Structure formats: C-alpha cells, structure tokens
Amino acid sequence: MMAAARWRVYVVRPLLRWAGRKVWLLTDYGDTLGAGLQRLARNFLFSTFFPFLVRLPFRRLCEPGSCKKSPPGAGRFAAVPRALEAGTLEGGLRPSPASFGARYSQYLYLGPISCKEKYSFQLPEQYREMSMKREGYSTEIHIQVGQFVLIEGDDDENPYVAKLVELFEDDSELYSKKRARVQWFIRFCEVPVCKQHLLGRKPGTQEIFWYDNPTCNSNISVETIIGSVRVVALAPDEVMPIDLKNKKTFFVKLSWNEKKFKPLPPEVFAQLNKLQEDNHRYQKPMQAKTKSAESPSWTTTEHAVKRIESRHSTSKSRHTASHPVTPRARKRLELSSFPRTPNTRISPAASCASLDSPGRMKRKVAFSEVMSPSKRSLPDGFQTSSPALKAPEKTGEIQHSCTKDAKKTSPDHGMILRARAPALKITETSEERTLTPIGGGRKSSVVPSVILKPEYIKRREGKEPEVQDEAPSTSRIRRKSSVLTLNRIRQQLRFLGNSKSDENDEEFLPAAEISDCDSEEEEASTTPLPRRTPNSVSRNLRSSMKSSLQTPSKTPKKTPEPRTPRDATPRIRSRNLTAQGPTNMLEEARLRLHVAAVPESLPCREQEFQDIYNFVESKLLDQTGGCMYISGVPGTGKTATVHEVICCLQQAAQANEVPPFQYIEVNGMKLTEPHQVYVQILQKLTGKRATANHAAALLAKRFCTQGSSQETTVLLVDELDLLWTQKQDVMYNLFDWPTHKEARLVVLTIANTMDLPERIMMNRVSSRLGLTRMCFQPYTHSQLRQILLSRLRHVKAFEDDAIQLVARKVAALSGDARRCLDICRRATEICEFSCQKPDSPGLVTTAHLLEAIDEMFSSSYITAIKNSSFLEQSFLRAILAEFRRSGLEEATFQQVYIQHVALCRMEGLPYPTMSETMAVCSRLGACRLLLVEPSRNDVLRRVRLNVSQDDVLYALKEE
Amino acid sequence: MSPALASRFFTTSATWKTRTVNFITHDDKILRERFCHQSPHGNLFGVQVQYKHLIELLKRTAIHGESNSILIIGPRGSGKTMLINHALKELMEIEGVSENILQVHLNGLLQINDKIALKEITRQLNLENVVGDKVFGSFAENLSFLLEALKKGDRTSSCPVIFILDEFDLFAHHKNQTLLYNLLDISQSAQTPVVIIGLTCRLDILELLEKRVKSRFSHRQIHLMNSFSFPQYLKIFKEQLSLPSVFPEEIFAEKWNENVQSLSEDRSVKEVLQKHFNVSKNLRSLHMLLMLALNRVTPSHPFITAADLMEANQLCSMDSKGNIVHGLSVLEICLIIAMKHLNDIYEEEPFNFQMVYNEFQKFVQRKAHSVYNFEKPVVMKAFEHLQQLELIRPMERTSVNAQREYQLMKLLLDNTQIMNALQKYPNCPTDVRQWATSSLSWL
C-alpha cells in the first residue's frame, strides 16, 4: 500500500470557520514529494479552492522514534499515521460534539497502537461478527463487520440503514456495553423536505444515500440492530432497478451531505462493490459498470484529487468506511445538544510536522490563526489566504471557541504547546492523566449558548442524562503561532485544570472535499447540528471511526435549520387536574351551546349539505377534479357543513362506497402570507416541509404530471379572499390544478362575499373557478330556533319563548348562529347569577336573554357619556354649541375651547385651563367619543363627534 | 389632628422624632406604591358586578375547560388592568388552579405586529421550539406551530391558557387581524381551552374587528365606566390615603388615619376634591393629586393638610403654556401680542414674520419710550425662539431655501391664555399691557 502510494493527501478539517473560509490541511508522505504537492496545490488548489493549505511530511510522523522522543501527546499523535499505514485504523479521528461556540475534540484510535499502554485509554474489545437470535425465531442471524444492517429508528416501516463498521464492547457505557459503529445511509424520506428537490429526480423506491455527515454519531448500541440488509452500489449512470422484489435490497447511487447529492466518491463506491462481492449471501443484481464513472460535472480539482486518490483506493476506502448517522429516534435529542463536529479539525500529522520541521513549517501550527491574520502567506507553499481569516459574523464565537479549545487541551495542543513553551509541559501531562474514556462530566459553561442547550434537553428528555454530560467543547489547533495566543492558552490551561476534555477532534478528509465551496462550508459551520446517541459511548472509543469521515463533501448538519428545534412537538402542557364536567342543567346547556360543541347533525343546512356532498362524491366517483365556491356571511355554517360532508364521505370511503381520498384543509387566515398556502398543502399532503416556492413547484409537479397521484385529494380552502395576491398566482394555481385530469383534486373554497370571483379575481382565475357556486344564506329565525332546539334536545334549560326571542333577535341582526349560541350561553350565566339557589337554578327566561342581548349589543357610548366627568360633559356641550354656531360637523380645539370657557363661566365653574381641557379632549378622543387629530396640531387639532349629536344630547339631558 | 398638635405630640420625645422619620418613610413607601403601581392588593371600587362576571368566566375556563372571549372596555385609568389582576390573583388562589393554567400577557404597544406577538406567545407558553429565551423558526413556522399546539389540546386534558391582550385595539390594526382571528377561532372551536381577555379603552372596538373576526368573538363585554358619584369618590380618597392596620407603629397609623378622616370632612378639601372630580373621575389622576400632596410630608410635617391638597390641585390644573409665557422676554411677549392682534384682525388667518414685525414696529413707533427698538435680526431670533417653544407653528414644513420671514405661521395660544399670562407677568411695561388689551390703543 505504501509502496503503491507515493503520497496521499488528506484534507483535514477543523477548517476554521473563521472568516468564512476553510483552512485545509494536506498531509503527504515523504519529504521528497513535497515539491509535487506544492505543484499540485499551486496549480489547482491554492489558487481557487484553498485559502489555507498546509502540507505535512507524513513519514516523519510515522517514524517510531519520533514517538518515543516526543512527549506523550506527540506520540499519540504519531500513532495515527502509523495506524493508518498498518491499515488498522478504522477511523482514527472523529469529530466530537461541540457547540458552534465552543468545541472540543477527541481522538482515539483502535487497533495496534504502540503507545496505547502508555496512556490510560480504555480500549474496547473488538469483534468480527455478531449473532442475533430473535425471540420466536430459531435461527440465528450472523452479521459480520462490513455488512449492512437495519437499525431501529422511530419509524418501524423504514428502519435506518447502515453499514456495520465495527463491533466492540465498551464497559464505560452504562446501559449497553455492546456497541457497534456504523456508517449511515439515509433514505430519501429522511432527507429534509426542503432539500429533497436537490435530487432533481424522483428517488427510486429502494434508493438510499450514502450519508456523508461526519457529525453524525455512528456509535450505536448493538441492540438497536434489527437485521441485515443488502445494499448495492450503483454507478452514476446505472439505472435504478425498480423491479426488484426484494424489499431488503437497497441501492445507493449518491451520497448526501446535507447540502447536496453527489455521486458516490469512487473509493466509497469501490468499497461498497467490494463488500457486495464479498457478500456471498446475496447475488449482485446489477454490477456497477465502472469505478471510473464519474459525473462530468466534477471539477478539475476533483478529478485531480481523485486521480491522486485512486492510487490509494484502499486507504481511501477505509476512510470512507462508514459514516455517522444517528437513527431518527435520537435526532431530537441531538438537535438540542451540541454539534459533534468542531468546525476546525487538524490532523495530528500537521501538528507533528510542525514539531518536526520547525524551520519549514514556520511554526505555523498553532492556535493563533484567529489572532494573527497578518501571517497569511508563508514560504514553502504554505498558504494562508487572508480571506480565511477575515472575520465572519461568528468571529466572536470562534475566538471564544478558540480559547476554549485551548482549555480543552487536546493532546495535540499539549504537544504543540510543549514544543513551543516547555513550561507548559507539566500542565499538559497532568491533564492527560485526567482524561477518561468517557467524555462525560465535561460541562462547559463558557459559552452561554452551551448552557442553554443542555437545559433544553433536560426539559425535553429528562431521562437522558448523558446528553448533558456531553458538553460541547472543541479543540482546534490553530496554525500560526503567535506569542499572544500562546500566552492565552497557557493561562487557560492553568485555569482549566482538570476539567476539560482530553479529546481532540480530528478528521481526515479526502481531497475530494476540496471542491466544497466555502460558502457552503460556512453555512454549515454556523449551524452545526449535533447528533449523538443518548447513551453514547465515550468519544474515545468512537474515535475509531474517524477515517470514515472523509467523504467528498461534508456538512455537519442534517436538518436545514439545525438550531431550530425542528422536531419539537407542538403541544400545550396538559393539566393534571382534570376538567370538571357540567354539574347542573344550566352548565350542561352551556356546554352544548358552546360553538365548539360538535352537534350530532347540522340542522337547517340539509340542502347545502346534500349539494356539496353530491359534488364531492361525484368527483370522487368520476376520479376527476373540480372547484366549488361557497360563500356566506360569517356564522352561517359554511365550514361546519363542509366538515360534515367530509366526515360523511370519509365514513363512506371506509365502507368502500366511494373511493378513498385524502382531505386537506387550509385557512387563509391561518397563513402569514398567501404563498404559505403551498407550504401547508404540501406538508399536509406529504408531510414534507419546503419553502413556498419549492412547495409550489412540488405541488405543481404532483398535480400536473401524469399518474402521480393515486387517490383523489379534497382540498378545503377557507377564507379564500386572504389568498389574494397582486398577481393572483396562488388562486390561479389552486383553481388550475383541478383542471388537470391527473390531479384528481377537488377544491372547495369558502369566503364571505358572494361576488368574490367577480370582484377581485382576474378573468382567467374566475374562469377556472367555474360556476359551481353555493351561497349560504343567513339563518332565519326559525332555523336558528331549530339549531338551538337541536342542541338543547335533552336539556330543559330554556323557556320556549326565550328561544323564540333570541332566534328572532339574532335573525334580525345578522343571522349569525355563533351570536345566537353566545347569547344563550351568556343568558345561562345571567340566570345562574341571578338565581337564589345555586343547586337548582330555574329556566332561562326572556328576561335573562334580554339582559344578555342588551349587554352584548347595546351601544356603550351613552353610558360612557353619562359616566364621564363634569368637565368632559361640558366639553361635549361646548362641541355641540360650536357645531351649532358654525353649522359644521367639525371644529378646531381652539374654537371649542372658547365655547367651553364661556360655558363654564355661565355655569359658575372655575375657569378651565387649556391644559386641563386638552387632557379632557384627549381622554374623550382615546375612548373614541370624539375623533381628534393627532396631538401635534395642538390647539389647532380638529375635533369631531363619533356619536350622533342626538345621542350626546340625550345622554347629557338625562342628568 | 392639626400640624401644631402633631408637632407638639412628637417633640415630647426625641426618640419619637427619629422613629417618626421611619414611620413616615414607611408610610410614604406604602402609599407611593399604592399610587404608582397597579398593585392587585388595593380594593376595587364599584365594579363588583363586573368582577364577578370576570372571575366566573375565568373559573369556568380554569375548572371546566370552557373557552371564552371577553373584552374589558373602559376609559384610561378606570381600573381595567386592576380588575384583571385582581381576578387572576383570586383565581390563582383556588386550589389546583395555579399549576393548571397558563397565562399569556400581551400588550399592543409591545407586540406591534403578529410576528412579534407570536414569538412572545410561544415564549410565554414555553413550547418546545423555545430554547432559553429564543423562539426559533420563521413567522409562518411559528404560526403553524402554535396553532398546531393549540389544536392538539382538548377541553378535558389540556392546560387552559389565559390570553390577556392589553391595548386590544392595537392588535386589531395588525395585518389581516391574523392573530385575533386565530385566537378567537380557537376560543370557538374544540381545541385547547383558552380565554381571550382584551383590554381596551376604545368604545368602538367592535367596529375595528373584521366581520369574520367579530363573528368569532363572543361579544361579551365588561364596561368599566368610573360610574361612581362624588360621595363614593370621597370614600375612595379616604381609603387610598389610609394606612393599613398592619402598619408597624399602630399609634402613628391611627393618628394618620384620623387625620385622613378629618381631611375628608374638611370643607376646603372637599372643594378641592370636587374640583378634581369635575375634571376627571379617573382614579389615576386622584393618585397623582395625592402623590403631590404626599410629597410634602416630612418628619417635621408628618400629616397631609388641606393646604397640601390645594397646592397639589393647583399643580395639577396648571396651564403649561401659560407657564411658558411667563418665562418669555418682553420682546417675545410683544411679538405674541402682535400675533394676537393679527389673529383678531385677520380672523385666525396665518401670519408671517414680516407681518408680526410690522405690527411690532407700529407699536414701537408709537411708544418708543417703553420698548427698545430691537433690530430686525434680533426680533427674528425672538420669533424663532417662540417657534422652538412651539408657541407658534409653521403651517407647512420648513424647506431649506424658503424665506423664513415669509413663512406662514399660526399662533398656538388662546387669547385668554395670553391675557392671563400677561396679568401674572412680572414687570410688564404698562404700555405693553395696554397694547395687549386693545390693538387700537396706539391710535
């Protein structure tokens, strides 16, 4: 391997998020090849992609002697490449959870690491194979490392798919000692809805994606493994086989890195194919054609890189061996915890190199990237481009995390520190001793956000204590030493004592990653998504996965809005004291009279019910689509009737009388913006989330393309007028979709105005709406009475006359059934208040109802005037007098004031000062007895009465 | 107890005096808190019916899980917030209620749009998309999340939510009234039990609601109208000023309360209160009056006297602009008089500086000995000063290149104000005073 590969390139990322640019670290073998790398870098990389690239001579690191000579940290460091060489390092470096503000990292490797005895690392035992025996089954299933497994998640139908990378036992784990490390695959349905369109095609039924997210926890409990499964890798140009009966076969063609779908990196592809071949239990369905199948869209850099890589396919495949995904079940938790990937990772080799070749490296490997932007270009082909150091929004955080890194004292750090500042050595060593395999107990309270999140977790899942232990911290090695930083680190080390983490997060990336654009990187970094299993093992143990983290593109986040607690369930706290039921007749009546109470049937809307029912039913039976417009003033039962129709139809569908259909309801008033309607429809239709534009596209695709939907969709659009936009595109789409034969969409629209289509819609929109209209007339008094009677069927709480009265009153006012019910409800309360015996209140009489009606509908202006102060009343009089004088209905305050002063003088009142009168005027204006101009006009503000002059006179005369 | 008596009483012992200081600071504190904070500890006046209505409603929501909506309407200072605070306090004292109820307090002046309001609701409900104090997600997400959360609940098992919307009318100005529609819709459907309590001073609040929003509102209204008469007002005055019986030094509290009692019977105090009552029935303005009077209480002057109240009343009813005029220079007074004459002549038509200057010149020429003939730029400065004091106001906005001499202005003072101010103006030249009374005096 070594011989074949003259050098290999790793891109190591802790890529500083700093300045929105990444810092790349390339490591290579052999000093002699430095020039070649330089050339490569100069030609392809530096200029375009790498703001910051560091090359490390690998061999130096690998020399056994270097380990001995160098302090412990360096030894461990050196072990990594050695393990890599030996081919035993599964994943030497892996990211650890970290917040975006503070990160720490760890690395730990499994396998023959010479210096492991030196350190108190608890190395797990490893296994080659596991066997499962399920209850009720006699056969044992043997699953070997390297096979693909199903892992139980929150969805029983679709368990997670992963590749078993390693099996080991971990004593440090509290709950399940048998652990497995896996490389995750992701199903299309697990891809965030808003990102699904990135695929650009329909996913195959059994298609899965290589999940290229190093931040995802790959350490799982063996118990979660359900069974084995077969995964077939397909070359990009291969057709997705659809006819395969075997549900247990998945196809992987692309990788998903939270940002985009990419063709499988060749090394991954090769590795998968190899596994496939090895897997004697399954026959290979369609052999991948060539490994070299690469999409032409790949950049030259990628090509170059790939070429480089292809020489080391073995090692590379190792690197891509697995990839951490956590089953969904855990996602929630993880969301709230810290990202396990520090954005900055550094190869141990890099730091080693800096030690070993100080002259060449110029001591650049340091923590001080952040602080010393001035050092941007270095001799010897090491480039730090200034953009990398430009402060992004996150600067503060990064600096913070940088300092934190230091505290967290990765061994690497320690080593570098020692190299540079021997005085630190002791601190460092002692720290190392304190490292425990379990990352628990580390709580960083340095960054506020860090504190927040664990609390949040606690609140949500109190049962998972480990989560909080996994405090975020990161260590990053910063290049470019500056004395300043060093001092700071030293201080922090001193300060930190034993409390920080030992782990250093490291990750090797294949050069392919180079093609990642910085902006993406930045975006990802600002919102890193933590994912972690609840009972996660110490990070040390998990670190064997590190090599798997190099996939062409990496994103530390899985959901598009990682900081959002996406999976938060919308729910109101439940009460622990159950609500009391009604205790007497009146309460019973009140309960039934509540608008929310669902009546057994909707009286008085039989005709409308039948019409709508027939309409929808016929569309269902014909398997076509159509639109219907329902209008009516508020409170006439439009929505209730449609709900009832749907309810009946759903029952009919269950009885197989009509074809099954899907029912969706949207309400224009419950949207923040008309285009949000697409989002809601899509979400209710498919459960996916998408942006408005994307949702519109998806819906259009769904409704307008052949044979896409299996069953009819019934869409109820309430408060249609709110969906009006300047271009009317929302309405147009809503009415246009049903016209497509394939859409099989029935749109029922509800609005208040009868002539809405004519009034606000363009011709092309109203034409599509069609002429299926229905108008709900306001309820007549007999209908209202019937409604009340039907609700009070078995409850004798009202006098007949009272019901008659309220029905007539409301019918005369508005015909709004809600009003009717509210009045009756209020009347029961009044009845209850006025009743002497609380146990057996009498019937609600007309008197009670009249009182309720009076309370609800009587204008309060007159009472307000009657109860206003004397000066306020006389001001009103002055207004009337001024109006009479001028013959106008409006006067300036000054004019009224003159009248007011005269009035007061006549009545022998003390002279009202201007300020007092102004205050009076403002008070009257505030309760809208007067309409006054804004007060900046001062005495010139115009005053108008908001009540009729007769009312004012009447109210004032009463006195 | 007269001040003289009080002082004699307290001078008997030196220690008494120091202790009095303590009492006074203590009673000062109690009363100030009473006047300045809307504490739910005070008593309610004349709103027992409304209170019962509200508390029953809240209880039904809390105990039976019934959804409701109600508006509390009343002019400013009529005790709307106090009413709801009292009711909530009583509600929370019921066993098993306080932990079974969620409160959301919104204020139209703070939550100026639905986006902010939604975030605030979510935050106060502490839903699961709240991390610490931050609410995540976009406006649309927040809305659907909140609606989903409320929709999932039902009458019997969900925690009832009390929404209190202060300055309810401002919420009605939000776009589409989305928030109100949704809240009221929840109150009218079988979801999480909610009670929407709106507080507003606008009597026309229902006209502000869109018809579908209005239809969902239950039309329950509680009107608080300050519907008490003067005897009740007097009683309120007494109650507000009295010290509680738990006051540390009972003797002092007794004396204090006695004094308050005698004050309320004093004729001049009654007059002051009557005057105040005539201007405003608002309890807040009464608090203002009492606060001003209370400020005069010192260890050497331990009890409020009628004179204190009279002075406080004078402060309350002071004309602010008249006071400004007092501080003007003679030249500025002259200009104001000139403007007054112009107003009289041209019947409130706007004037410009040149006109005022001419008028002033005419007066100066006639009575050259009484007023120094200022140069035009000086007069202009004085004129501008008047504008800064907002005693005059330009008709339209000042543009950069407009000639300031010819900019049309209006006087924001009333004739009576000017005359009153002049009467009190110290050392006003007689000629000027005469000129003010008659514009023709120079003839």
Side-chain angles (χ1 to χ4, degrees), chain A residues 590-602:
Chain A
R590 196 152 54 224
L591 195 66
R592 285 158 172 265
L593 285 170
H594 200 285
V595 183
V598 184
E600 302 92 61
S601 69
L602 278 180

mmCIF file with all atom_site columns, all heavy atoms in Angstrom, chain A residues 590-602:
data_model
loop_
_atom_site.group_PDB
_atom_site.id
_atom_site.type_symbol
_atom_site.label_atom_id
_atom_site.label_alt_id
_atom_site.label_comp_id
_atom_site.label_asym_id
_atom_site.label_entity_id
_atom_site.label_seq_id
_atom_site.pdbx_PDB_ins_code
_atom_site.Cartn_x
_atom_site.Cartn_y
_atom_site.Cartn_z
_atom_site.occupancy
_atom_site.B_iso_or_equiv
_atom_site.pdbx_formal_charge
_atom_site.auth_seq_id
_atom_site.auth_comp_id
_atom_site.auth_asym_id
_atom_site.auth_atom_id
_atom_site.pdbx_PDB_model_num
ATOM 1   N N   . ARG A 1 590 ? -74.937 25.000 28.774 1.00 0.00 ? 590 ARG A N   1
ATOM 2   C CA  . ARG A 1 590 ? -73.876 25.909 28.343 1.00 0.00 ? 590 ARG A CA  1
ATOM 3   C C   . ARG A 1 590 ? -72.826 25.159 27.538 1.00 0.00 ? 590 ARG A C   1
ATOM 4   O O   . ARG A 1 590 ? -72.319 25.640 26.541 1.00 0.00 ? 590 ARG A O   1
ATOM 5   C CB  . ARG A 1 590 ? -73.255 26.544 29.575 1.00 0.00 ? 590 ARG A CB  1
ATOM 6   C CG  . ARG A 1 590 ? -72.430 27.749 29.254 1.00 0.00 ? 590 ARG A CG  1
ATOM 7   C CD  . ARG A 1 590 ? -72.386 28.709 30.393 1.00 0.00 ? 590 ARG A CD  1
ATOM 8   N NE  . ARG A 1 590 ? -71.955 28.077 31.615 1.00 0.00 ? 590 ARG A NE  1
ATOM 9   C CZ  . ARG A 1 590 ? -72.524 28.281 32.794 1.00 0.00 ? 590 ARG A CZ  1
ATOM 10  N NH1 . ARG A 1 590 ? -73.543 29.102 32.898 1.00 0.00 ? 590 ARG A NH1 1
ATOM 11  N NH2 . ARG A 1 590 ? -72.078 27.672 33.857 1.00 0.00 ? 590 ARG A NH2 1
ATOM 12  N N   . LEU A 1 591 ? -72.550 23.965 27.988 1.00 0.00 ? 591 LEU A N   1
ATOM 13  C CA  . LEU A 1 591 ? -71.573 23.155 27.273 1.00 0.00 ? 591 LEU A CA  1
ATOM 14  C C   . LEU A 1 591 ? -72.075 22.846 25.859 1.00 0.00 ? 591 LEU A C   1
ATOM 15  O O   . LEU A 1 591 ? -71.340 22.945 24.883 1.00 0.00 ? 591 LEU A O   1
ATOM 16  C CB  . LEU A 1 591 ? -71.344 21.853 28.044 1.00 0.00 ? 591 LEU A CB  1
ATOM 17  C CG  . LEU A 1 591 ? -70.125 21.054 27.647 1.00 0.00 ? 591 LEU A CG  1
ATOM 18  C CD1 . LEU A 1 591 ? -68.876 21.826 28.001 1.00 0.00 ? 591 LEU A CD1 1
ATOM 19  C CD2 . LEU A 1 591 ? -70.130 19.719 28.368 1.00 0.00 ? 591 LEU A CD2 1
ATOM 20  N N   . ARG A 1 592 ? -73.328 22.514 25.775 1.00 0.00 ? 592 ARG A N   1
ATOM 21  C CA  . ARG A 1 592 ? -73.867 22.170 24.463 1.00 0.00 ? 592 ARG A CA  1
ATOM 22  C C   . ARG A 1 592 ? -74.008 23.394 23.570 1.00 0.00 ? 592 ARG A C   1
ATOM 23  O O   . ARG A 1 592 ? -73.990 23.277 22.346 1.00 0.00 ? 592 ARG A O   1
ATOM 24  C CB  . ARG A 1 592 ? -75.256 21.535 24.617 1.00 0.00 ? 592 ARG A CB  1
ATOM 25  C CG  . ARG A 1 592 ? -75.202 20.103 25.110 1.00 0.00 ? 592 ARG A CG  1
ATOM 26  C CD  . ARG A 1 592 ? -76.529 19.745 25.730 1.00 0.00 ? 592 ARG A CD  1
ATOM 27  N NE  . ARG A 1 592 ? -76.600 18.335 26.063 1.00 0.00 ? 592 ARG A NE  1
ATOM 28  C CZ  . ARG A 1 592 ? -77.136 17.429 25.257 1.00 0.00 ? 592 ARG A CZ  1
ATOM 29  N NH1 . ARG A 1 592 ? -77.643 17.792 24.103 1.00 0.00 ? 592 ARG A NH1 1
ATOM 30  N NH2 . ARG A 1 592 ? -77.171 16.171 25.620 1.00 0.00 ? 592 ARG A NH2 1
ATOM 31  N N   . LEU A 1 593 ? -74.179 24.526 24.216 1.00 0.00 ? 593 LEU A N   1
ATOM 32  C CA  . LEU A 1 593 ? -74.388 25.728 23.418 1.00 0.00 ? 593 LEU A CA  1
ATOM 33  C C   . LEU A 1 593 ? -73.079 26.352 22.966 1.00 0.00 ? 593 LEU A C   1
ATOM 34  O O   . LEU A 1 593 ? -73.069 27.282 22.185 1.00 0.00 ? 593 LEU A O   1
ATOM 35  C CB  . LEU A 1 593 ? -75.175 26.761 24.237 1.00 0.00 ? 593 LEU A CB  1
ATOM 36  C CG  . LEU A 1 593 ? -76.656 26.470 24.394 1.00 0.00 ? 593 LEU A CG  1
ATOM 37  C CD1 . LEU A 1 593 ? -77.264 27.400 25.415 1.00 0.00 ? 593 LEU A CD1 1
ATOM 38  C CD2 . LEU A 1 593 ? -77.377 26.601 23.065 1.00 0.00 ? 593 LEU A CD2 1
ATOM 39  N N   . HIS A 1 594 ? -71.986 25.862 23.483 1.00 0.00 ? 594 HIS A N   1
ATOM 40  C CA  . HIS A 1 594 ? -70.708 26.416 23.044 1.00 0.00 ? 594 HIS A CA  1
ATOM 41  C C   . HIS A 1 594 ? -70.530 26.152 21.560 1.00 0.00 ? 594 HIS A C   1
ATOM 42  O O   . HIS A 1 594 ? -70.870 25.086 21.072 1.00 0.00 ? 594 HIS A O   1
ATOM 43  C CB  . HIS A 1 594 ? -69.559 25.795 23.836 1.00 0.00 ? 594 HIS A CB  1
ATOM 44  C CG  . HIS A 1 594 ? -68.319 26.613 23.784 1.00 0.00 ? 594 HIS A CG  1
ATOM 45  N ND1 . HIS A 1 594 ? -67.518 26.653 22.681 1.00 0.00 ? 594 HIS A ND1 1
ATOM 46  C CD2 . HIS A 1 594 ? -67.757 27.453 24.691 1.00 0.00 ? 594 HIS A CD2 1
ATOM 47  C CE1 . HIS A 1 594 ? -66.506 27.478 22.916 1.00 0.00 ? 594 HIS A CE1 1
ATOM 48  N NE2 . HIS A 1 594 ? -66.633 27.974 24.129 1.00 0.00 ? 594 HIS A NE2 1
ATOM 49  N N   . VAL A 1 595 ? -70.024 27.155 20.871 1.00 0.00 ? 595 VAL A N   1
ATOM 50  C CA  . VAL A 1 595 ? -69.871 26.999 19.427 1.00 0.00 ? 595 VAL A CA  1
ATOM 51  C C   . VAL A 1 595 ? -68.978 25.803 19.124 1.00 0.00 ? 595 VAL A C   1
ATOM 52  O O   . VAL A 1 595 ? -69.140 25.119 18.119 1.00 0.00 ? 595 VAL A O   1
ATOM 53  C CB  . VAL A 1 595 ? -69.276 28.290 18.829 1.00 0.00 ? 595 VAL A CB  1
ATOM 54  C CG1 . VAL A 1 595 ? -69.181 28.180 17.326 1.00 0.00 ? 595 VAL A CG1 1
ATOM 55  C CG2 . VAL A 1 595 ? -70.122 29.477 19.220 1.00 0.00 ? 595 VAL A CG2 1
ATOM 56  N N   . ALA A 1 596 ? -68.065 25.546 20.030 1.00 0.00 ? 596 ALA A N   1
ATOM 57  C CA  . ALA A 1 596 ? -67.120 24.468 19.788 1.00 0.00 ? 596 ALA A CA  1
ATOM 58  C C   . ALA A 1 596 ? -67.766 23.097 19.890 1.00 0.00 ? 596 ALA A C   1
ATOM 59  O O   . ALA A 1 596 ? -67.244 22.129 19.353 1.00 0.00 ? 596 ALA A O   1
ATOM 60  C CB  . ALA A 1 596 ? -65.971 24.555 20.795 1.00 0.00 ? 596 ALA A CB  1
ATOM 61  N N   . ALA A 1 597 ? -68.875 23.028 20.589 1.00 0.00 ? 597 ALA A N   1
ATOM 62  C CA  . ALA A 1 597 ? -69.514 21.724 20.757 1.00 0.00 ? 597 ALA A CA  1
ATOM 63  C C   . ALA A 1 597 ? -69.963 21.214 19.392 1.00 0.00 ? 597 ALA A C   1
ATOM 64  O O   . ALA A 1 597 ? -70.611 21.931 18.631 1.00 0.00 ? 597 ALA A O   1
ATOM 65  C CB  . ALA A 1 597 ? -70.706 21.854 21.691 1.00 0.00 ? 597 ALA A CB  1
ATOM 66  N N   . VAL A 1 598 ? -69.583 20.021 19.101 1.00 0.00 ? 598 VAL A N   1
ATOM 67  C CA  . VAL A 1 598 ? -69.922 19.475 17.789 1.00 0.00 ? 598 VAL A CA  1
ATOM 68  C C   . VAL A 1 598 ? -71.304 18.840 17.870 1.00 0.00 ? 598 VAL A C   1
ATOM 69  O O   . VAL A 1 598 ? -71.520 17.914 18.638 1.00 0.00 ? 598 VAL A O   1
ATOM 70  C CB  . VAL A 1 598 ? -68.877 18.433 17.359 1.00 0.00 ? 598 VAL A CB  1
ATOM 71  C CG1 . VAL A 1 598 ? -69.177 17.943 15.957 1.00 0.00 ? 598 VAL A CG1 1
ATOM 72  C CG2 . VAL A 1 598 ? -67.490 19.028 17.433 1.00 0.00 ? 598 VAL A CG2 1
ATOM 73  N N   . PRO A 1 599 ? -72.249 19.359 17.123 1.00 0.00 ? 599 PRO A N   1
ATOM 74  C CA  . PRO A 1 599 ? -73.594 18.799 17.184 1.00 0.00 ? 599 PRO A CA  1
ATOM 75  C C   . PRO A 1 599 ? -73.647 17.454 16.456 1.00 0.00 ? 599 PRO A C   1
ATOM 76  O O   . PRO A 1 599 ? -72.802 17.164 15.610 1.00 0.00 ? 599 PRO A O   1
ATOM 77  C CB  . PRO A 1 599 ? -74.447 19.841 16.494 1.00 0.00 ? 599 PRO A CB  1
ATOM 78  C CG  . PRO A 1 599 ? -73.531 20.550 15.575 1.00 0.00 ? 599 PRO A CG  1
ATOM 79  C CD  . PRO A 1 599 ? -72.150 20.448 16.150 1.00 0.00 ? 599 PRO A CD  1
ATOM 80  N N   . GLU A 1 600 ? -74.656 16.696 16.792 1.00 0.00 ? 600 GLU A N   1
ATOM 81  C CA  . GLU A 1 600 ? -74.777 15.382 16.150 1.00 0.00 ? 600 GLU A CA  1
ATOM 82  C C   . GLU A 1 600 ? -75.039 15.557 14.658 1.00 0.00 ? 600 GLU A C   1
ATOM 83  O O   . GLU A 1 600 ? -74.562 14.818 13.833 1.00 0.00 ? 600 GLU A O   1
ATOM 84  C CB  . GLU A 1 600 ? -75.925 14.588 16.782 1.00 0.00 ? 600 GLU A CB  1
ATOM 85  C CG  . GLU A 1 600 ? -75.800 14.359 18.281 1.00 0.00 ? 600 GLU A CG  1
ATOM 86  C CD  . GLU A 1 600 ? -76.485 15.429 19.112 1.00 0.00 ? 600 GLU A CD  1
ATOM 87  O OE1 . GLU A 1 600 ? -77.718 15.586 18.981 1.00 0.00 ? 600 GLU A OE1 1
ATOM 88  O OE2 . GLU A 1 600 ? -75.797 16.101 19.895 1.00 0.00 ? 600 GLU A OE2 1
ATOM 89  N N   . SER A 1 601 ? -75.816 16.544 14.374 1.00 0.00 ? 601 SER A N   1
ATOM 90  C CA  . SER A 1 601 ? -76.052 16.816 12.962 1.00 0.00 ? 601 SER A CA  1
ATOM 91  C C   . SER A 1 601 ? -76.204 18.309 12.791 1.00 0.00 ? 601 SER A C   1
ATOM 92  O O   . SER A 1 601 ? -76.373 19.037 13.749 1.00 0.00 ? 601 SER A O   1
ATOM 93  C CB  . SER A 1 601 ? -77.333 16.126 12.504 1.00 0.00 ? 601 SER A CB  1
ATOM 94  O OG  . SER A 1 601 ? -78.433 16.768 13.118 1.00 0.00 ? 601 SER A OG  1
ATOM 95  N N   . LEU A 1 602 ? -76.095 18.748 11.572 1.00 0.00 ? 602 LEU A N   1
ATOM 96  C CA  . LEU A 1 602 ? -76.245 20.169 11.321 1.00 0.00 ? 602 LEU A CA  1
ATOM 97  C C   . LEU A 1 602 ? -77.645 20.426 10.796 1.00 0.00 ? 602 LEU A C   1
ATOM 98  O O   . LEU A 1 602 ? -77.924 20.154 9.626  1.00 0.00 ? 602 LEU A O   1
ATOM 99  C CB  . LEU A 1 602 ? -75.225 20.621 10.282 1.00 0.00 ? 602 LEU A CB  1
ATOM 100 C CG  . LEU A 1 602 ? -73.819 20.927 10.744 1.00 0.00 ? 602 LEU A CG  1
ATOM 101 C CD1 . LEU A 1 602 ? -72.987 21.355 9.566  1.00 0.00 ? 602 LEU A CD1 1
ATOM 102 C CD2 . LEU A 1 602 ? -73.815 22.000 11.798 1.00 0.00 ? 602 LEU A CD2 1
#
